[in-house]
Amino acid sequence: MQYDYKTLRRSQDLRKNMTKEERHLWYDFLKKYPVQFKRQYPIGCYFADFFCYKAGLIVELDGSQHCDSNEIEYDNQRTAFLQEQGYCVLRFSNLDVMRNFRSVCTAIDLTVTDRLQG
């Protein structure tokens, strides 16, 4: 898929400025995962935190700002759009990543395995 310079630049900036939780999930699990994931991948007008093309899976990490009612509505619209494109969207809070890292990794692994078998 072709993207314009502005989109590619934004994607690069998001990768350079990952949150602590995004870095933890990327460097300690997804980067070495046997099925390839990409970071801050553009899909339509959105950027997926982590995207696995082969499994059609998007993993989103949500900080505390996602608890705001406006953000919840935006996230719901975003998720609906991504699901309409055929993707499965998993959402985890930053707190989950820091406190339940193993469980987050297990959930991702089980979803990838299930989607590849289905």
Side-chain angles (χ1 to χ4, degrees):
M1 191 175 274
Q2 293 282 353
Y3 290 101
D4 62 25
Y5 176 78
K6 184 178 175 182
T7 301
L8 293 174
R9 188 75 183 145
R10 175 78 175 130
S11 184
Q12 289 171 341
D13 288 344
L14 289 169
R15 285 193 299 273
K16 283 182 187 175
N17 297 301
M18 288 192 302
T19 66
K20 170 177 60 171
E21 295 82 6
E22 288 171 338
R23 282 193 307 273
H24 181 31
L25 185 58
W26 176 250
Y27 288 108
D28 297 329
F29 182 65
L30 294 176
K31 185 176 181 182
K32 299 175 262 184
Y33 193 73
V35 182
Q36 184 183 36
F37 274 83
K38 295 183 179 211
R39 299 176 291 158
Q40 300 302 334
Y41 191 80
I43 299 173
C45 62
Y46 302 107
F47 291 87
D49 288 343
F50 301 101
F51 176 61
C52 177
Y53 176 80
K54 193 170 182 180
L57 175 63
I58 294 168
V59 176
E60 291 292 316
L61 300 187
D62 295 337
S64 59
Q65 74 275 14
H66 291 266
C67 296
D68 175 84
S69 60
N70 291 333
E71 283 296 320
I72 291 170
E73 179 59 30
Y74 175 80
D75 286 343
N76 289 339
Q77 290 173 356
R78 185 174 191 269
T79 297
F81 169 80
L82 295 169
Q83 289 173 333
E84 288 169 6
Q85 306 308 305
Y87 301 118
C88 172
V89 179
L90 290 181
R91 288 188 169 280
F92 301 100
S93 72
N94 286 342
L95 196 58
D96 284 335
V97 172
M98 298 315 282
R99 290 190 179 169
N100 304 307
F101 186 71
R102 215 171 260 230
S103 296
V104 168
C105 296
T106 298
I108 293 168
D109 182 52
L110 289 172
T111 304
V112 169
T113 301
D114 183 57
R115 290 189 59 86
L116 291 178
Q117 291 175 350

